[in-house]
């Protein structure tokens, strides 16, 4: 195997490692509510989420992959060294936050790493401003939309079931949570796996291996969906605890509302090609259902620490990505 091909295989392997860690790190986003409400025990919930993570490619286009591939850093700047810096910046930050049980964003870690490595190579002229602004705007919009949708859903179902027998309502929403958890896992797999697809596709494009036109080969699609699903199977139980019980205590009704609000947000963002954070989205939805009960039901100190992690993720991953870009020059050139 020649040197160039060996480097390509290595970088695709690193990309799939990021995808796996994305599933591992963000598994809690898909299963926290259904575990917290005890509708499914963790082992079954993880398998359930992994399955829907994997089949997400059947339901969505590849607009998010296109945004990551061409909408953050100019394709002309992409090189093996830039991809290495971007991936290692994201992986390093994911590992740091995973060890600390902090539900930060894998998506924004990748974007931060890509920006750091791209700027390290070519300066700020490498940045695609429109794509970055769309992504940064989603940092604020996705949790806010998740919050509002979940809050609205709580009000609607509370009105609909106001006179229902509590045991009957509990059974109904335990059943509905299977639907809402499935939808959220589809949204998670649809949005997040595409970020790795975009990285691998732009790497292949930069090497002239896509016939001169940027697209995502099917083998990249299926491999990335499999990697994120496998990561979800391994789970992230420290983060499950934070997302599922430390922010607020959830009933099956609230779990359904949180998952449904989050799923609607993810479906809309994916269809528009916006690489949003599943962590941000479900956190906003969980806070929304907690606040609908009463403001004091939300542990705001925990929510604040999560929000703080949101704001430091992109610059921290960018700094690490720039460092690995420099280190990559030692053996990738």
């Amino acid at each position: 195997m020649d040197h160039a091909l060996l480097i390509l295989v290595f970088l695709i392997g690193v990309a799939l490692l990021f995808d796996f860690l994305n599933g591992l790190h963000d598994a809690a986003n898909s299963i926290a509510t259904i575990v917290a409400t005890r509708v499914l025990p963790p082992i079954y919930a993880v398998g359930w989420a992994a399955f829907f993570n994997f089949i997400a490619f059947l339901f969505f286009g590849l607009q998010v992959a296109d945004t990551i591939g061409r909408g953050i850093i100019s394709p002309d700047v992409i090189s093996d060294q830039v991809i290495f810096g971007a991936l290692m910046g994201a992986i390093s930050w994911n590992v740091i936050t995973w060890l600390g049980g902090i539900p930060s964003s894998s998506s924004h870690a990748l974007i931060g790493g890509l920006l750091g490595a791209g700027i390290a190579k070519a300066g700020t002229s490498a940045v695609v401003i429109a794509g970055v602004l769309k992504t940064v705007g989603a940092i604020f919009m996705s949790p806010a939309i998740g919050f509002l949708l979940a809050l609205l859903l709580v009000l609607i179902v509370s009105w609909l079931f106001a006179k229902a027998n509590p045991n009957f309502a509990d059974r109904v929403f335990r059943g509905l949570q299977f639907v809402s958890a499935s939808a959220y896992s589809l949204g998670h797999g649809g949005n997040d796996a595409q970020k790795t697809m975009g990285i691998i596709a732009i790497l292949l494009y930069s090497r002239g291996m896509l016939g001169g036109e940027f697209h995502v080969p099917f083998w990249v699609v299926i491999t990335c969906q499999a990697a994120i699903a496998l990561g979800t199977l391994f789970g992230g139980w420290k983060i499950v605890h934070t997302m599922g019980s430390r922010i607020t205590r959830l009933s099956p009704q609230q779990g359904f509302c949180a998952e449904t609000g989050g799923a609607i947000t993810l479906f809309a963002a994916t269809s528009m090609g916006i690489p949003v954070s599943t962590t941000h989205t479900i956190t906003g939805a969980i806070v929304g259902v907690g606040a609908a009960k009463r403001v004091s039901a939300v542990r705001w100190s925990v929510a604040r620490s999560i929000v703080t992690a949101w704001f430091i993720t992109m610059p921290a991953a960018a700094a690490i990505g720039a460092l690995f870009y420099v280190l990559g020059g030692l053996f990738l050139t």
Side-chain angles (χ1 to χ4, degrees):
M1 187 180 293
D2 64 37
H3 182 66
L5 184 57
L6 188 63
I7 289 175
L8 176 63
V9 171
F10 167 73
L11 289 174
I12 291 175
V14 175
L16 293 175
L17 174 62
F18 167 77
D19 203 23
F20 172 83
L21 290 174
N22 191 345
L24 179 78
H25 189 274
D26 288 1
N29 301 342
S30 298
I31 66 173
T33 51
I34 202 167
V35 171
T37 57
R38 296 178 175 81
V39 169
L40 275 179
I43 187 66
Y44 296 116
V46 168
W48 185 270
F51 171 74
F52 285 99
N53 277 180
F54 177 71
I55 66 169
F57 71 94
L58 298 172
F59 297 84
F60 299 101
L62 298 174
Q63 295 93 329
V64 173
D66 188 71
T67 297
I68 292 294
R70 299 188 291 181
I72 304 298
I73 292 293
S74 172
D76 298 335
V77 174
I78 297 298
S79 66
D80 293 349
Q81 202 173 334
V82 169
I83 294 297
F84 176 73
L87 290 169
M88 291 306 297
I91 288 171
S92 300
W93 187 247
N94 269 1
V95 171
I96 291 167
T97 54
W98 178 68
L99 290 174
I102 303 167
S104 65
S105 168
S106 299
S107 307
H108 294 125
L110 179 61
I111 291 165
L114 191 56
L115 286 170
I119 291 170
K121 178 182 179 181
T124 54
S125 62
V127 179
V128 180
I129 299 298
V132 172
L133 288 178
K134 180 169 69 172
T135 302
V136 171
I139 292 178
F140 302 97
M141 292 301 295
S142 62
I145 294 171
F147 176 94
L148 292 173
L149 286 174
L151 183 62
L152 178 62
L153 285 165
V154 168
L155 295 176
I156 291 171
V157 300
S158 295
W159 178 73
L160 290 174
F161 285 81
K163 298 180 179 179
N165 179 285
N167 290 330
F168 169 75
D170 185 72
R171 287 195 304 273
V172 167
F173 284 104
R174 283 180 178 275
L176 287 174
Q177 264 207 278
F178 285 99
V179 178
S180 60
S182 302
Y184 193 86
S185 294
L186 275 176
H188 173 228
N191 200 280
D192 275 15
Q194 287 194 44
K195 292 149 192 171
T196 305
M197 294 177 203
I199 289 291
I200 295 176
I202 197 62
L203 173 63
L204 296 173
Y205 177 80
S206 71
R207 285 169 164 255
M209 300 176 71
L210 294 183
E213 183 178 345
F214 179 86
H215 66 278
V216 184
F218 182 71
W219 71 264
V220 174
V221 173
I222 203 73
T223 304
C224 289
Q225 296 287 176
I228 199 169
L230 189 61
T232 298
L233 277 177
F234 281 81
W237 303 119
K238 293 172 73 174
I239 299 175
V240 166
H241 175 61
T242 299
M243 300 294 289
S245 60
R246 289 185 63 205
I247 297 175
T248 188
R249 295 289 178 181
L250 297 173
S251 67
Q253 176 182 321
Q254 292 170 319
F256 166 77
C257 293
E259 289 160 349
T260 302
I264 293 169
T265 306
L266 291 181
F267 277 50
T270 302
S271 67
M272 292 186 287
I274 303 173
V276 298
S277 166
T278 56
T279 308
H280 294 192
T281 304
I282 198 64
T283 300
I286 291 173
V287 170
V289 298
K293 182 166 55 178
R294 62 181 188 280
V295 174
S296 62
V298 178
R299 295 185 176 91
W300 294 103
S301 60
V302 176
R304 276 195 299 272
S305 69
I306 293 170
V307 170
T308 301
W310 294 350
F311 284 100
I312 65 174
T313 288
M314 285 182 67
I320 299 170
L323 174 62
F324 274 103
Y325 169 80
V326 175
L327 294 175
L330 300 176
F331 66 95
L332 291 175
T333 54

